[in-house]
Amino acid sequence: MKKQQSTLLIHPSHLELQLHLPMPQDARRHHSNRIKITNNKHKSQAFFRDLKKESLFSSNHSTSSKNKEKKKYTANVIINQKYNIITFIPIVLYEQFVIFFNLYFLLVSLSQFIPALKIGYILTYFGPLCFVLLITISKEALDDYQRYKRDKEANSQLYRRLTPGGTQNIPSSKIRVGDMIHIMKDQRIPADMILLRTTEESGASFIRTDQLDGETDWKLRLAISSLQRLPSDQDLLTIKGRIYADAPHKDIHNFVGTISINDEVTGAEQIEPLGAENTMWTNTVLASGSVVGFVVYTGKDTRAVMNTNHPKTKVGLLDQEINQLAKILFIVTLGLSVIMVALNGFRGAWYIYVFRFLILFSSIIPIGLRVNLDMGKTVYSRQIEHDSEIMGTIVRTSTLPEELGRVEYLLTDKTGTLTQNDMELKKLHMGTMSYSLDTMDEIQTHVATIFGSSQEQQQLDVTNKSRRNISVRVSDIVQALALCHNVTPVINIDGEVNYQASSPDEVAIVKWTEHMGLTLFHRDINTIQLRIDATGELLNFDVLSIFPFTSETKRMGIIVRNRQTQEITFYEKGADTVMAKIVQYNDWLNEECDNMAREGLRTLVVAKKNMSQEAYDNFTAKYHEAEVSLHDRSVLKQAVVEDVLESNLELLGLTGVEDKLQDGVKNTLEQVRNAGLKVWMLTGDKIETATCIAISSKLVSRNQGIHTISKLKTAMEAADEIDGLRTKTDHCLVIDGGSLQVCLDHFVDEFIEIVTLMPVVVCCRCSPTQKADITRLIKEYTKKRVLCIGDGGNDVSMIQAADVGVGIVGKEGKQASLAADFSVTQFSFLTKLLLWHGRNSYKRSAKLSQFVIHRGLIISVMQAVFSALFYFAPIALYQGMLLAGYATIYTNAPVFSLVLDQDVSEEIAMMYPELYKDLTKGRSLSYKTFFTWLLISIYQGGAIMILSIILFEDEFIHIVAISFTALICNELIMVALEINTWHRFMVLAEIITVLIYFGSMWLLPTYFDMKFILTSRFLWKVAVITAVSSCPLYIVKIIKRRIAPPSYTKLT
C-alpha cells in the first residue's frame, strides 16, 4: 500500500480540506488502514495537512469540491445511544428473547394460536410476558432517551470558528478537521486539537483532564512558539505551512507530529516538533486563558471516543446459579409432561398431548423471577447509596449487589487505597548527613546562610568543591528539589496559592522547600522564579528543557540556566533502581534506600550535572533531530538523554516521603481477614516499602511469618522457591514483579495453586497489566469471587477484570471510581459493604428466588394431580384472571417483601465478621435447597388438591374456588413463616393482599359463588386444607432449628 497524504488549504473565506493524493471513498477506512499499518508494520503512516495562502476568490466548484473532500473525515458527532428509531424494537426484543425464561414463554404463548394446542385464554399466557417485556422495554427506552438528550446537548454546544471575516458561531457537530476554533476559559474542548496560540503571555495554558483520564490535577499545554509570537489570531490565516499528525490511536499521553512553516521572505522551511504537550484532547476543559486550536481529529477518531471502552457485562454468581436451576426446571416440566402421557398409555396423537401438558405446566418456569430479582437489586442498591455510615457510595453496576456477599479474595492497591496519598517529606539523607523532622530547622538555617550571603561568597563556595561546607551541600539539594519538578503555583480568587502537579510526591517536596525557606514563586513555560524567604530576593532561572516522568523511565529531569551566574545545570530525580546506575559511585545509597523503605517511606534520589554552553548546544542539536523524527520518536529522544546527560551525575541526596494510612484501614483489614477473605496487596512500590505498609496496616498479623521472593531470573530459581513455599502456606508472601513474571511464565499452575492458599500476598513493582493478569488467574484457577479495589488510573484494568470492582474517589482522580461497579470515598467502607449489605443482598435474593420458583412449582403440582384424576386429560385447572393474577396481584407483594428481611442485626453482623464465611459456601441457594423446595412444593400441591377433592366431593363444581383459596392462604402463611425480622411493609403486603383477594371474589363471579363462599362449611374446610399443607413444615422447621441451629442464632 502506498503512503497516502492529505493537505489542508487555508482559504481567506473558509478553512478547507483538499486532498492532493487519492483518498479512499470512506475516510474511516482511510484512518483504519493507517492504524493497521501502524500496528502491523510498526510504521506511523499518517496524513499531512497544509496551511497555505490562496487568492481571495475561488469558483463555486472549487469551494464545493474542497468541502466535499473535507467532509470525508469523521463527523464530530457524539453518539452514546444504543439504539435508533429503526433498531430499537428489534434489538431490545432480541436481547430479551436471548434470555431462556422469556424465550420459553414466547413459544408457549405463540402455541395458543395453534387450535390443537390451545388450552385457555391467549391473554393468560401473553399477559405476564407482555408485562415483563413492557417493564424492560420502558426502562431501556428511558435510559436511551436520557443518552439522546445528553448527546443532543453536547452536539449543539456553540463554538467560535476563526475565519477571515471574523469569528463564526457553529455547533460542535459541525466542526471539521482543519477548522481553527477559538476556545474560552472553562469551555469544553469539542475535538482533538493542536494548541496554536493562547492569550497567556507565557505561551502556555492549563487544561483539566478529569473527564478523560480521571486525574484531578491540571495539565500544562504549550502553544506553537512561532505562532504565539504573531500579533493577532487573524494572522494565522496568512501563514503558509503544513501540519503532520500521526494516525488516530488510543494513547492519550503520546502524540507524534510536526508543523512546518515557510518563511515567505527567505523561502526557508522551519520544522517544529509537536508532542502531547501541544495537544488538547476532546472532553478536556480549558482552565486558563483563551486559545485557538487547530482540529486534527474529530468524532470517532478522537482519543476520548477511542478510549471509551465498554467492558464485558459482569454476570453475578447468583444469576449463573439461577440459570442452571432454570434448565433443571425445564427438564422437570418436560419429564412431568411425558410421565402424564405415559401413564395414559401414549394413546392417539400423544405428542400433541405432550405439548399441551408442557403448556399447562409452564408456570414451573417462573417468568417473573428475573423481574423480581432485578427489582430486588434496585432496592439493595438504594439501601447502599442511602446508608448514612458510608456516605458518597455509588452503585454503578446495579446487577451485582449479591456478589458482595460471596467474595473470597480481596485484591487492593496500596497508594491512595490503603494510604491517603497525602505525602509529607520526613527524611533527607546526604551520605554523611541525615535530617528528619526533629532536625529540619537546621536545614532552614543552612539555606538562610547560603542564599542570604553575597553572590561572590556563594560562587567561591560552589567553585571550591574540595572544601564545600555543609551549608552549601544542603542548599544545593534544596535548590535542586525546588527546581526539578513539574509543579506550577496557581493563585486562587481568594489569593491563596495552590500547587498544581500530576504527582502528590512533587507537591509535598515543593511545600517542603517552601518550609525550608526557598519558595516556588512563579513558573511558566520558560522560567522558574524562587523566592528566598530570608531576604525576599528572587532567583531567576530559564527553563531550557524538561524531561517528564514516565512509568518506563521512572525519573524526571530538567535543564535550567541561572540568569545571575549563567550556569547551566541538569537536575534529575527518580527511583533508586534507575538512578543508582546513573550517579557517581557511592557506598551508601542502596543501604539508605532500604533503611527508609523499612520505615515505610517512598524514596527519591536527587542528582545534578553542570554543563558548559558547548555541551548544551551539542545536546540540543541531537535532541532536536530526535524530536522531529516521525518514527520511534520517544525511543530516540530517550537515547539522546541517556547518552549525553545521564552519565556520571553528582549525587546530591536521598529524600524519604511518608504516605499516611487511611482512617480505619487497620480495623478494616483485620475484619475482612476474620471474615475469611484472603488479601493480596498489589503495588508499584519497592519490596521494603510495601512490607512496611503491610505490617503497619495489620495486613500481616502479629505472629505471622513473612517469606520474601525477589530478583528471580531463571526457571530453576523459580522452581526452588515454589517448592519452598509448600511448607509456608500460613506465611505472608512478598514477591516483586520480575520474580512474579518468571513464576507465571514457567510454572503458572503450580505457583497459583500454592499462593492462592496463602492468607496474605504482597506483590511489589507490579505493572497495571500484571495486576489484571493476577486477577484473572485467581478467578480462573479458584473459581472463587474476586473483589479488586483501587483509586488510580493504573488500577482500572484490575477493577474491570474482577468479579466485583470497587473504586475509591481519591487524589489521583475519579478514573478508578468511574470504571468500578461500586464507588466509595474511603477503604474502610468496604467492611459495611461486605459484612452487612453483601450479606443482606445475597440472603434476600436467594430466599426470593426460591420462593418464586416454589410458587410456580406448587400450582403445577396441583395441575398434575387434577389431570391425573381426570384420566390424564390436559385440561387447565385455572384459567384467565386466576392464572394471570396468581403470580402478580395475589402473591407478588408478600413474596417481594422478602427483600427487606434480615437474618441477623447489623450490630451482630459487624461485630462477628466470622459469620461471613458461611455466605461464601453458597448454602443459601444450592441444589440441596432447590430440591428441598421441590419436595415441599410436591407435598403442598398434592395435599391441597387431594384434600380439596376429598372434603368437597359433594360440591365438586366449586373445586376451583376451594383449591385456589387454600393455595393463596398457603402462600401467605409460607411467606410469614420464612420471615426472620418483620418490617412494616411486610405486614402491609400481607394485609393488602388478603383484602385484594377477597375483594376480587365479588368481581369474578365466573370463578367464585359468593353464596357458597360465605358459608361456614367453606371457611373451616379451607382452614383445614391450609393447616395440613403448611403446619407440618412449620413443625419440621422448629425441630431443625433445635437440632442444627444456624451459626448466627448462637449470637442473638
Side-chain angles (χ1 to χ4, degrees):
M1 180 184 290
K2 292 185 178 179
K3 189 173 182 176
Q4 297 180 358
Q5 301 173 353
S6 63
T7 56
L8 186 73
L9 300 165
I10 282 199
H11 191 277
S13 58
H14 294 285
L15 194 63
E16 307 295 350
L17 184 69
Q18 178 177 332
L19 299 171
H20 293 305
L21 291 178
M23 183 176 183
Q25 292 297 316
D26 184 2
R28 286 293 301 140
R29 189 164 75 247
H30 175 51
H31 281 177
S32 64
N33 286 342
R34 288 198 303 272
I35 295 170
K36 186 175 181 181
I37 291 170
T38 302
N39 291 340
N40 293 346
K41 297 185 179 179
H42 305 287
K43 294 182 178 180
S44 176
Q45 181 165 353
F47 47 97
F48 285 86
R49 297 175 171 123
D50 280 10
L51 287 73
K52 295 182 180 178
K53 184 180 178 183
E54 274 197 359
S55 66
L56 185 61
F57 301 102
S58 174
S59 67
N60 290 334
H61 171 75
S62 175
T63 301
S64 173
S65 174
K66 292 172 190 173
N67 274 325
K68 186 178 179 182
E69 295 290 354
K70 186 173 180 179
K71 288 178 181 178
K72 286 188 176 181
Y73 289 102
T74 306
N76 195 50
V77 179
I78 295 173
I79 303 175
N80 289 311
Q81 285 178 266
K82 289 176 64 177
Y83 321 101
N84 56 40
I85 294 176
I86 298 171
T87 63
F88 176 71
I89 295 296
I91 292 178
V92 170
L93 289 179
Y94 171 77
E95 289 176 344
Q96 289 308 303
F97 290 121
V98 165
I99 300 170
F100 176 77
F101 287 124
N102 295 346
L103 180 61
Y104 177 78
F105 266 85
L106 175 65
L107 295 175
V108 168
S109 302
L110 292 175
S111 71
Q112 296 306 288
F113 290 104
I114 302 172
L117 299 179
K118 186 173 181 181
I119 290 179
Y121 300 110
I122 291 178
L123 183 63
T124 304
Y125 296 95
F126 267 107
L129 178 64
C130 291
F131 175 72
V132 170
L133 291 178
L134 181 64
I135 291 176
T136 307
I137 291 174
S138 300
K139 182 177 181 297
E140 284 293 317
L142 181 62
D143 289 347
D144 211 50
Y145 179 66
Q146 296 294 338
R147 286 190 286 265
Y148 164 76
K149 288 204 302 184
R150 289 194 295 268
D151 290 349
K152 185 177 180 182
E153 182 182 353
N155 290 324
S156 59
Q157 286 183 352
L158 292 179
Y159 290 88
R160 294 160 59 194
R161 180 167 64 186
L162 194 61
T163 67
T167 55
Q168 171 190 10
N169 286 333
I170 59 169
S172 172
S173 58
K174 299 294 184 184
I175 293 174
R176 293 288 182 265
V177 171
D179 284 347
M180 289 187 187
I181 306 297
H182 196 274
I183 307 291
M184 304 299 291
K185 183 182 177 183
D186 294 325
Q187 197 171 19
R188 181 184 74 90
I189 309 298
D192 288 355
M193 300 181 178
I194 300 295
L195 174 55
L196 300 182
R197 285 174 52 82
T198 173
T199 54
E200 299 287 311
E201 293 182 6
S202 63
S205 285
F206 283 104
I207 60 171
R208 296 195 296 270
T209 63
D210 53 313
Q211 294 303 312
L212 180 64
D213 59 12
E215 296 182 3
T216 53
D217 59 292
W218 294 4
K219 306 293 192 305
L220 193 68
R221 290 296 182 260
L222 311 178
I224 309 299
S225 56
S226 53
L227 302 182
Q228 179 68 20
R229 291 192 292 268
L230 294 175
S232 69
D233 293 341
Q234 290 297 113
D235 290 314
L236 289 170
L237 300 176
T238 66
I239 298 297
K240 180 181 178 183
R242 180 174 62 196
I243 284 181
Y244 170 96
D246 62 353
H249 57 81
K250 287 185 176 183
D251 193 347
I252 61 174
H253 302 294
N254 282 308
F255 174 77
V256 175
T258 58
I259 179 168
S260 308
I261 299 175
N262 296 330
D263 190 316
E264 293 189 3
V265 179
T266 63
E269 185 180 56
Q270 178 187 349
I271 300 177
E272 294 185 46
L274 298 176
E277 67 276 6
N278 304 113
T279 60
M280 300 183 295
W281 301 136
T282 307
N283 286 342
T284 59
V285 176
L286 186 65
S288 65
S290 62
V291 303
V292 174
F294 181 90
V295 179
V296 287
Y297 307 117
T298 52
K300 295 179 181 177
D301 291 336
T302 60
R303 297 292 201 271
V305 174
M306 295 181 83
N307 278 283
T308 304
N309 58 348
H310 301 283
K312 185 178 178 182
T313 303
K314 296 180 180 179
V315 179
L317 185 58
L318 186 85
D319 293 324
Q320 295 174 21
E321 291 168 345
I322 287 172
N323 285 337
Q324 292 297 320
L325 296 181
K327 295 171 185 174
I328 296 175
L329 289 171
F330 177 73
I331 294 171
V332 170
T333 308
L334 181 61
L336 188 57
S337 302
V338 173
I339 290 170
M340 296 298 289
V341 174
L343 291 173
N344 198 29
F346 291 104
R347 298 175 184 174
W350 61 269
Y351 50 88
I352 291 179
Y353 291 129
V354 170
F355 278 108
R356 286 175 65 86
F357 274 118
L358 273 173
I359 295 164
L360 276 176
F361 299 145
S362 61
S363 58
I364 289 178
I365 300 176
I367 189 173
L369 177 57
R370 182 69 57 183
V371 174
N372 274 281
L373 285 175
D374 287 345
M375 290 168 61
K377 293 172 193 286
T378 303
V379 172
Y380 312 147
S381 299
R382 286 186 62 83
Q383 288 176 337
I384 291 171
E385 292 184 339
H386 289 81
D387 191 329
S388 59
E389 293 183 15
I390 51 174
M391 288 291 289
T393 301
I394 300 171
V395 180
R396 301 196 188 279
T397 308
S398 60
T399 57
L400 296 177
E402 299 96 345
E403 292 295 276
L404 292 170
R406 309 289 294 277
V407 175
E408 294 192 50
Y409 285 89
L410 169 62
L411 275 58
T412 175
D413 178 41
K414 183 183 74 68
T415 306
T417 304
L418 298 180
T419 61
Q420 295 180 15
N421 213 2
D422 183 8
M423 310 294 182
E424 181 183 5
L425 195 147
K426 285 291 188 73
K427 274 199 170 185
L428 178 67
H429 202 287
M430 300 168 59
T432 57
M433 299 168 290
S434 179
Y435 298 93
S436 59
L437 287 178
D438 298 336
T439 53
M440 289 296 181
D441 55 337
E442 295 180 24
I443 297 179
Q444 293 174 325
T445 305
H446 292 313
V447 170
T449 301
I450 290 298
F451 290 107
S453 61
S454 65
Q455 289 296 317
E456 293 79 6
Q457 183 61 40
Q458 186 176 338
Q459 273 189 311
L460 178 63
D461 288 340
V462 171
T463 53
N464 190 1
K465 290 186 179 179
S466 60
R467 293 183 296 157
R468 294 176 70 182
N469 57 36
I470 296 174
S471 295
V472 174
R473 288 181 60 194
V474 170
S475 59
D476 269 356
I477 191 168
V478 173
Q479 179 173 296
L481 292 170
L483 292 171
C484 188
H485 52 72
N486 269 316
V487 181
T488 303
V490 177
I491 301 175
N492 296 335
I493 299 174
D494 57 4
E496 184 184 350
V497 176
N498 275 345
Y499 291 118
Q500 289 292 339
S502 57
S503 167
D505 296 62
E506 291 204 317
V507 173
I509 290 173
V510 170
K511 285 182 176 178
W512 178 81
T513 63
E514 178 183 358
H515 184 59
M516 293 303 106
L518 202 57
T519 302
L520 178 63
F521 181 73
H522 171 76
R523 181 184 186 145
D524 57 35
I525 179 177
N526 297 314
T527 60
I528 293 178
Q529 282 186 326
L530 303 179
R531 186 185 66 218
I532 304 169
D533 293 348
T535 63
E537 182 186 353
L538 294 179
L539 301 178
N540 295 291
F541 296 86
D542 294 321
V543 179
L544 305 181
S545 295
I546 295 179
F547 315 103
F549 178 90
T550 67
S551 56
E552 290 80 22
T553 62
K554 292 184 172 59
R555 56 192 183 273
M556 75 85 54
I558 187 170
I559 301 178
V560 296
R561 176 191 283 118
N562 188 323
R563 286 189 186 174
Q564 287 136 316
T565 63
Q566 293 302 306
E567 287 183 347
I568 299 174
T569 308
F570 168 60
Y571 291 106
E572 190 166 52
K573 67 180 181 184
D576 58 285
T577 51
V578 292
M579 293 295 291
K581 305 168 187 175
I582 296 172
V583 298
Q584 294 171 350
Y585 172 77
N586 62 86
D587 58 0
W588 60 269
L589 181 60
N590 290 334
E591 182 182 351
E592 289 304 326
C593 285
D594 293 344
N595 290 339
M596 286 192 185
R598 277 189 283 272
E599 296 177 37
L601 302 179
R602 295 159 64 97
T603 54
L604 211 57
V605 179
V606 187
K608 76 168 189 174
K609 183 177 188 177
N610 293 321
M611 302 179 68
S612 65
Q613 185 65 46
E614 181 183 357
Y616 174 71
D617 292 341
N618 176 49
F619 164 76
T620 303
K622 292 182 178 180
Y623 196 70
H624 180 73
E625 186 179 336
E627 276 185 314
V628 296
S629 170
L630 301 178
H631 305 291
D632 300 324
R633 179 184 290 182
S634 298
V635 175
L636 294 173
K637 286 165 62 177
Q638 186 58 33
V640 173
V641 172
E642 290 176 3
D643 293 343
V644 180
L645 299 179
E646 293 181 337
S647 60
N648 206 31
L649 266 64
E650 180 186 349
L651 176 59
L652 296 178
L654 175 70
T655 63
V657 177
E658 182 189 47
D659 192 1
K660 302 171 185 174
L661 286 176
Q662 281 203 19
D663 294 336
V665 162
K666 296 179 182 179
N667 187 44
T668 301
L669 286 173
E670 186 176 0
Q671 282 188 297
V672 296
R673 290 186 66 214
N674 291 338
L677 275 70
K678 294 179 172 64
V679 185
W680 290 45
M681 184 170 78
L682 312 178
T683 177
D685 266 347
K686 61 177 71 68
I687 282 182
E688 293 80 10
T689 307
T691 304
C692 178
I693 294 296
I695 295 170
S696 62
S697 64
K698 304 298 181 188
L699 184 60
V700 180
S701 58
R702 184 173 299 172
N703 299 318
Q704 191 173 26
I706 298 177
H707 182 74
T708 304
I709 299 177
S710 62
K711 299 179 181 177
L712 296 185
K713 301 294 183 186
T714 65
M716 187 66 71
E717 293 175 344
D720 292 341
E721 287 288 354
I722 291 173
D723 286 337
L725 278 179
R726 297 185 190 277
T727 59
K728 298 182 178 180
T729 51
D730 58 339
H731 281 53
C732 164
L733 172 65
V734 179
I735 185 170
D736 65 8
S739 302
L740 174 68
Q741 199 59 51
V742 172
C743 293
L744 295 180
D745 289 343
H746 298 285
F747 307 102
V748 60
D749 291 335
E750 296 87 343
F751 180 72
I752 291 294
E753 178 187 1
I754 295 171
V755 295
T756 49
L757 298 174
M758 306 186 83
V760 180
V761 179
V762 177
C763 297
C764 313
R765 300 297 193 191
C766 262
S767 66
T769 306
Q770 279 182 321
K771 290 182 178 183
D773 289 344
I774 291 168
T775 304
R776 294 188 193 96
L777 282 170
I778 295 175
K779 283 172 56 181
E780 292 168 7
Y781 183 82
T782 65
K783 307 299 181 187
K784 305 294 187 183
R785 311 317 276 174
V786 178
L787 182 148
C788 291
I789 181 168
D791 74 311
N794 61 335
D795 301 317
V796 169
S797 55
M798 171 180 75
I799 286 170
Q800 291 181 338
D803 295 304
V804 184
V806 179
I808 295 179
V809 181
K811 295 191 175 179
E812 290 189 26
K814 295 184 178 180
Q815 195 171 2
S817 163
L818 295 172
D821 305 308
F822 299 88
S823 170
V824 297
T825 55
Q826 54 184 318
F827 183 81
S828 59
F829 287 0
L830 209 55
T831 312
K832 188 81 178 286
L833 269 181
L834 296 176
L835 303 186
W836 178 240
H837 292 291
R839 178 184 191 84
N840 286 339
S841 301
Y842 170 57
K843 284 275 190 179
R844 292 166 176 175
S845 284
K847 186 177 288 188
L848 175 65
S849 58
Q850 289 174 141
F851 241 97
V852 173
I853 291 171
H854 161 72
R855 187 173 62 188
L857 281 169
I858 190 172
I859 196 172
S860 297
V861 170
M862 293 173 66
Q863 174 67 58
V865 173
F866 177 78
S867 297
L869 293 174
F870 284 89
Y871 307 103
F872 303 99
I875 301 170
L877 172 59
Y878 306 122
Q879 295 185 17
M881 185 58 198
L882 293 187
L883 194 58
Y886 170 63
T888 51
I889 60 173
Y890 292 148
T891 60
N892 199 59
V895 171
F896 185 71
S897 70
L898 290 171
V899 300
L900 300 173
D901 191 26
Q902 56 188 55
D903 59 345
V904 298
S905 67
E906 181 181 337
E907 183 183 5
I908 293 293
M910 300 298 290
M911 189 180 298
Y912 300 100
E914 292 80 7
L915 292 173
Y916 189 86
K917 295 177 183 178
D918 288 341
L919 304 180
T920 59
K921 296 172 184 175
R923 292 174 178 169
S924 296
L925 180 66
S926 62
Y927 289 124
K928 179 182 176 181
T929 60
F930 170 74
F931 285 110
T932 301
W933 278 99
L934 178 62
L935 293 174
I936 291 172
S937 303
I938 292 172
Y939 166 74
Q940 291 186 328
I944 292 171
M945 200 66 236
I946 293 170
L947 285 174
S948 297
I949 293 169
I950 293 173
L951 294 177
F952 290 91
E953 57 183 340
D954 296 332
E955 299 102 350
F956 194 75
I957 193 171
H958 301 300
I959 189 69
V960 171
I962 297 161
S963 61
F964 196 76
T965 302
L967 174 63
I968 297 299
C969 293
N970 178 79
E971 285 300 287
L972 296 180
I973 291 172
M974 286 296 292
V975 170
L977 292 178
E978 284 298 313
I979 292 173
N980 293 300
T981 306
W982 282 88
H983 191 282
R984 62 178 181 275
F985 288 126
M986 294 174 174
V987 178
L988 282 173
E990 294 268 344
I991 295 171
I992 290 172
T993 300
V994 170
L995 294 176
I996 289 174
Y997 178 70
F998 286 106
S1000 67
M1001 287 180 169
W1002 273 272
L1003 302 176
L1004 299 171
T1006 309
Y1007 307 109
F1008 302 104
D1009 181 357
M1010 295 308 297
K1011 290 182 180 178
F1012 169 69
I1013 288 172
L1014 293 174
T1015 63
S1016 59
R1017 192 171 66 257
F1018 171 82
L1019 294 176
W1020 79 260
K1021 288 185 177 180
V1022 167
V1024 169
I1025 295 171
T1026 306
V1028 170
S1029 67
S1030 57
C1031 286
L1033 297 176
Y1034 179 64
I1035 295 169
V1036 170
K1037 181 180 178 181
I1038 292 175
I1039 294 172
K1040 184 181 176 182
R1041 286 180 72 95
R1042 288 288 180 88
I1043 297 173
S1047 56
Y1048 59 81
T1049 57
K1050 302 168 187 175
L1051 306 173
T1052 55

